[in-house]
Amino acid sequence: MTDARGVCARSATDLSVNAPYVRGWAEAKRAADRLAEQLHTLDLDALFPQLKADVNVFGEGIVRLGTVRPAAAEALATLIMTGLTIEALRNATPEDVPRPTA
């Protein structure tokens, strides 16, 4: 299945001369390596054994997480929500923070 941007398009098995495959794959490799580092730091790397960089037929880099167990998906969702919460709190102004009521 392919989304509107083609990110989920099939892998680049039929290469096209006009697609920048190496550039797309290199971008995906950097992102996959960064994610792998963070997962290793959190001791979660074993939950994503199939993590790898790839490229689709359009030359766009993609990061494949592979098939993951429900616990891995839940852990990733929790990490994303925690990060978003921390970011929101850092960007909050004093007026945004609710005051305790007594």
Side-chain angles (χ1 to χ4, degrees):
M1 185 163 173
T2 303
D3 66 14
R5 295 178 330 161
V7 173
C8 296
R10 60 188 168 84
S11 185
T13 54
D14 298 320
L15 299 179
S16 169
V17 176
N18 297 325
Y21 295 106
V22 174
R23 184 172 44 238
W25 182 85
E27 180 183 8
K29 176 75 168 116
R30 284 189 299 273
D33 287 347
R34 178 78 170 126
L35 179 56
E37 288 172 16
Q38 295 302 313
L39 291 170
H40 179 73
T41 299
L42 297 167
D43 200 27
L44 296 175
D45 49 333
L47 295 177
F48 299 90
Q50 298 172 354
L51 174 67
K52 69 174 187 171
D54 201 350
V55 64
N56 66 17
V57 293
F58 304 111
E60 299 167 328
I62 54 176
V63 175
R64 295 189 182 272
L65 298 178
T67 304
V68 297
R69 295 183 180 271
E74 288 181 19
L76 190 55
T78 299
L79 290 171
I80 291 169
M81 288 306 301
T82 301
L84 290 172
T85 301
I86 291 170
E87 183 178 338
L89 290 172
R90 283 185 182 154
N91 293 330
T93 62
E95 296 82 32
D96 296 331
V97 179
R99 300 190 193 288
T101 58

